[in-house]
Structure formats: structure tokens, C-alpha cells
Amino acid sequence: MKPKTKFCVVSAAVSLAILSLICIVSLASAYFTTFGMSAEYDETHQSMVASGDKKQANPKDSHCDSETMKCPTSAPTLKARYVASMVLSGVGDALGYHRGDWEFNKDGVAIHNELEQKYKGLQELELKGGEWIVSDDTVMHLATADALVKFGNKTEKEKLYKILSKKYIECMKDMDGRAPGPTCIHGVSVMERKGTYKIPFNKRGGGCGAAMRTMCIGLRYPEENQIDDLIAVSIESGRMTHHHPTGYLGGLASALFTSYAIQGKPMNSWGKGLMTVLERAKEYIIAEKHDVEENLETWSYFEKQWETYLGVRNISDGKSRPVFPADYDVKARDDFYESVSFSGWGGSSGHDAPMIAYDALLGSEDSWLELCKRGMLHGGDNDSTGAIAGAWFGALYGYLGVPEKHYRNLEYIKRLEKLGAEIYDLSQSNRSSRKVTALKLQSLV
């Protein structure tokens, strides 16, 4: 081969290699733009979303698209949304609970009247200690988050379940004035007495005690390829106290929808996603061989109730816009929430607590004040629906439109903020090696 020809061949090979490298870096960059936020982005925008009623970063981008129901996740930062998810779950709980005065008031109109007359409305309301303590819902959600952080990046689920069991037992010491449910108390006492996290099937275990405490599991396992982890951990967490499909599948729904919020999935697609995941959840139950027959015999209620609800809202296809009645005021909502309940108290069961929270979120989109009216101030089990709805809102929008006085003096706010940040770090840790590879490729180019 002549020197000139040889030089041309080598030059072409080098050019091809450089082009290939550029393509790889471009793909890597696109991947991390989609699935992870850069440190530079976090540093630039973190201060802009630190408090709820201050100016947001790119506020127009924080609104759901009116046609597609797609909710942008470009602002605030991902870490801010994790923190807000934990904190606003506590806010929703404290607001709905009102030290028991509103949780156990079955007249939503009376609650709204008291809010206006005594507290001058939501905008002026400050949640500060005393009558605004959190209920058992947040205490148990904190216990779940504590266990996830302590477990860290380990993979042996059996160890996680033992930590969860221990945390649930410990948190019962912090229930004075917080109205813990009898099923939670019973389940924890069985675990403590028998020294195991596996309690027997409970035909009366269909309450909302699992659904109210699993949102942070969706924060820990937010990616589509982590769905099996999310299913396993949410179910086992749930049936430590609520070993009944109606109960622990509520926990699965709360965790799943939190992960969807982090992913930025259109809200009207969440219900269809749940129906698909339920099949995998059933496979998990069968594979675990723990009271399988009893679980399968009582499985259909949760599934059928959700199928009916999605049909009523016209979102069974996961694509259509949700349909609400023209007149859907406080009384109409109370009536609807009661109609989807198991025993007349909307939100008190595993199927309808996340259902009512979802209904409220669909109807409120990115309005925090409207979400409070629909999801936290009604005549049902409103601290539980409020805790769930608040977590999803925070995971979607951070503190968008949330008055600072709603959360600045919230009980346990420092713990909630810290755990939100720690779970964010854990959720991102498995991406670090991919980011390092991409940066190395960029430096080579």
C-alpha cells in the first residue's frame, strides 16, 4: 500500500472512531437528561424552590398540560421534590387530622365552614403544633422511611423487613394523641409477641393503615426497572399489619403512584398502570407461599373497585381526560367518597384511601389549595387521604403554590426533610457509575 493511501485509510478510521465516540456521548447525555438531574441544575435551582410561596423556577413549566395531563418535572429540582413529598405528606395528615376533630367529623361542609370562620381560610391557616400535630399516619410513614435509610443499598430484602418490623414496633411509643388504628396496633403487637414480621392472614385487615405509610417506598424505588422491588417491599410492609389484599394493595398503590409522580407520568395513566401491576403483585403473592389461598380468595374486591372507579372517571384507557360532575362541591364529594367506601367512611380502607387521594389530585392538578379542599377537608378518613395526596403533590411539584405557613412549623419537619434528602441520595446512588462513565467519555472527546 502506498504511503498516501495508507494515510487516508488511517485518517478515515480515526474520524470514524471520533464520530462513534461523539454519538455515544450524545446518547449518554440524553439518557442522563431524561433519567437524572445534574449537580449544576440542582445548585442553580435549589434556592429558587426552597420555600413554598416564593417565586418558583420557571413557574409556567410547572403546570400540567391541559390536554395530555403530562406534568413537567423540570422545576423544581428532583431532590426538592423528594423533600417536599415527605413534608407535604405530613402537612396533609396534620390538616386532615386536626387532632381528631376533623378526621372523625363526617360532615365535610361543617369542616369547610369552620375553616373559613375560625381560621380565615386555607391561605391564612398556619399549621403549628398543638391542635395541628401529625397523626399515626406520619409517625408510621417516618418509621418506613427510617427503615429504608438504615437498610441503605443492601439487597437482601429479609434484612429490610426485619428493620421495618422493628421500626413499626418502636413507633408505637409515639402514639399519644395520634389515634392509631386498631389493626395497626394488633399487627404490631403480633410481630412483637411472635418475634417475626410475618403475621397470619387477617380477614379484617382491609383498612388504610398500609396505604398511609408507603409513599416513601415509591421514592426509594422510582424507576420502571425497580417495579419488582417496589411490589415486594410495599406488600411486605403493608401486610405486617394489614394482611389482606384490600389493605396491602392500598400500600402498593400509594408507593406506585409516588414512583409515577417522580417519573413524570401523566396522571390519567396512573390508574391503568396500577391495573397492570396488580397482575405482577398476584404473581408475587403466589411465589411467596404465605397464606396464598386466603389472599387469592379475597383478591378481587380491590381490583373490581378500581376498575369501577376508572370507568366512572373515563380513564380506564390511561389516555382520556378525567370526567367530573358539573356540580362537584363539598357535599357532592362527600357523597361520592362515601359511595366508593367499604363501610360508609370514605378513605378508611386500603382501596379507597389512595382512590380518593387520586381523585382529588386529578381534579386539582397543580393547585395545592384545591387539593387541600378535595383531599384533606372532607367527611371521610381525611388525614390518611391527605397524607397520600400531599406526598404525590410534593413528588410532582415540590412546594409550588404551598403557603410557607402550612409547613414551616410542622411537627417533625426536620426529620421529614432529612429523610426525604437521604432517600433521594439512595435512589440516585445506583446511577453514579453510569454518570462517571459518561463524564469520562465527554472528557475524551
Side-chain angles (χ1 to χ4, degrees):
M1 184 181 291
K2 294 181 180 179
K4 188 173 182 180
T5 306
K6 187 175 182 179
F7 175 79
C8 291
V9 171
V10 171
S11 298
V14 171
S15 298
L16 183 60
I18 292 173
L19 283 172
S20 299
L21 200 55
I22 291 171
C23 288
I24 291 170
V25 171
S26 298
L27 288 170
S29 177
Y31 178 86
F32 291 112
T33 298
T34 303
F35 293 102
M37 291 191 175
S38 67
E40 290 83 357
Y41 184 94
D42 275 344
E43 290 170 0
T44 302
H45 293 272
Q46 183 71 42
S47 62
M48 298 181 72
V49 294
S51 62
D53 54 358
K54 295 179 182 178
K55 186 177 179 181
Q56 297 285 324
N58 302 323
K60 290 182 180 179
D61 293 337
S62 296
H63 291 259
C64 291
D65 185 278
S66 61
E67 294 300 320
T68 65
M69 298 293 289
K70 179 74 174 178
C71 302
T73 59
S74 58
T77 65
L78 185 58
K79 189 169 187 175
R81 287 160 54 206
Y82 266 69
V83 173
S85 181
M86 292 297 296
V87 171
L88 294 184
S89 176
V91 171
D93 172 31
L95 179 58
Y97 183 51
H98 192 201
R99 210 176 183 105
D101 289 346
W102 287 352
E103 179 186 4
F104 302 110
N105 185 341
K106 295 190 175 184
D107 186 347
V109 174
I111 292 172
H112 280 254
N113 287 340
E114 183 179 351
L115 173 68
E116 294 298 324
Q117 294 167 11
K118 186 175 180 180
Y119 301 103
K120 300 180 181 179
L122 274 170
Q123 195 73 46
E124 299 302 317
L125 180 64
E126 181 165 12
L127 303 184
K128 184 178 180 180
E131 60 186 328
W132 302 109
I133 63 170
V134 298
S135 79
D136 60 315
D137 298 33
T138 296
V139 171
M140 296 200 78
H141 193 212
L142 283 165
T144 306
D146 277 332
L148 291 171
V149 169
K150 185 172 183 179
F151 182 64
N153 280 317
K154 294 185 283 291
T155 57
E156 190 180 339
K157 293 294 192 296
E158 189 76 12
K159 291 182 179 178
L160 172 58
Y161 302 149
K162 289 178 180 178
I163 297 171
L164 277 165
S165 174
K166 183 179 179 181
K167 291 294 183 181
Y168 291 149
I169 292 169
E170 290 175 352
C171 81
M172 284 295 158
K173 298 174 184 176
D174 186 22
M175 291 298 178
D176 186 37
R178 304 190 195 279
T183 308
C184 285
I185 295 172
H186 170 74
V188 168
S189 67
V190 171
M191 287 193 293
E192 187 172 22
R193 188 173 67 252
K194 294 190 174 184
T196 177
Y197 69 85
K198 290 187 175 182
I199 72 169
F201 178 84
N202 181 3
K203 64 181 181 181
R204 299 177 64 85
C208 67
M212 71 191 191
R213 66 175 190 251
T214 57
M215 294 77 73
C216 59
I217 295 173
L219 296 177
R220 177 61 185 89
Y221 304 108
E223 299 182 48
E224 289 188 10
N225 63 5
Q226 295 176 311
I227 187 62
D228 290 332
D229 290 322
L230 185 147
I231 289 171
V233 176
S234 63
I235 286 178
E236 295 304 342
S237 163
R239 62 178 178 174
M240 286 180 192
T241 57
H242 289 69
H243 192 170
H244 187 290
T246 304
Y248 63 72
L249 290 179
L252 169 60
S254 291
L256 181 68
F257 286 7
T258 308
S259 76
Y260 286 169
I262 292 298
Q263 292 173 36
K265 285 183 178 289
M267 281 189 288
N268 55 344
S269 72
W270 294 6
K272 184 180 180 182
L274 172 63
M275 303 312 294
T276 300
V277 169
L278 286 179
E279 285 303 310
R280 294 178 75 160
K282 185 185 290 186
E283 292 171 4
Y284 173 81
I285 291 295
I286 295 170
E288 286 301 298
K289 300 179 181 179
H290 181 30
D291 294 338
V292 175
E293 184 177 347
E294 294 93 331
N295 278 282
L296 296 185
E297 285 177 354
T298 51
W299 187 270
S300 63
Y301 179 80
F302 183 96
E303 200 165 36
K304 288 179 179 177
Q305 291 300 307
W306 269 89
E307 283 177 351
T308 301
Y309 168 75
L310 296 174
V312 168
R313 286 287 172 262
N314 191 44
I315 51 175
S316 299
D317 61 0
K319 299 177 182 178
S320 302
R321 291 275 303 169
V323 175
F324 288 90
D327 182 14
Y328 201 47
D329 60 8
V330 179
K331 179 64 168 61
R333 292 196 296 270
D334 271 5
D335 290 343
F336 179 71
Y337 296 167
E338 181 178 347
S339 75
V340 300
S341 71
F342 176 75
S343 59
W345 190 20
S348 62
S349 296
H351 74 285
D352 62 341
M355 184 184 291
I356 290 171
Y358 184 45
D359 195 72
L361 192 66
L362 284 170
S364 307
E365 296 189 0
D366 60 357
S367 170
W368 168 256
L369 298 182
E370 185 64 22
L371 182 70
C372 291
K373 294 173 184 177
R374 292 172 178 244
M376 303 157 198
L377 301 171
H378 58 83
D381 194 351
N382 46 18
D383 62 338
S384 296
T385 61
I388 298 166
W392 296 342
F393 185 95
L396 282 166
Y397 311 115
Y399 292 110
L400 176 67
V402 183
E404 190 176 352
K405 60 181 66 176
H406 280 193
Y407 62 86
R408 65 188 174 194
N409 291 309
L410 178 70
E411 185 183 19
Y412 293 143
I413 184 169
K414 295 302 181 185
R415 282 183 66 191
L416 290 162
E417 289 175 336
K418 183 173 183 290
L419 286 166
E422 289 174 332
I423 293 174
Y424 166 80
D425 290 340
L426 281 172
S427 74
Q428 300 301 298
S429 60
N430 63 335
R431 296 172 178 168
S432 59
S433 61
R434 297 198 294 266
K435 290 182 179 180
V436 168
T437 301
L439 288 172
K440 286 181 177 178
L441 288 171
Q442 271 184 316
S443 66
L444 285 172
V445 175

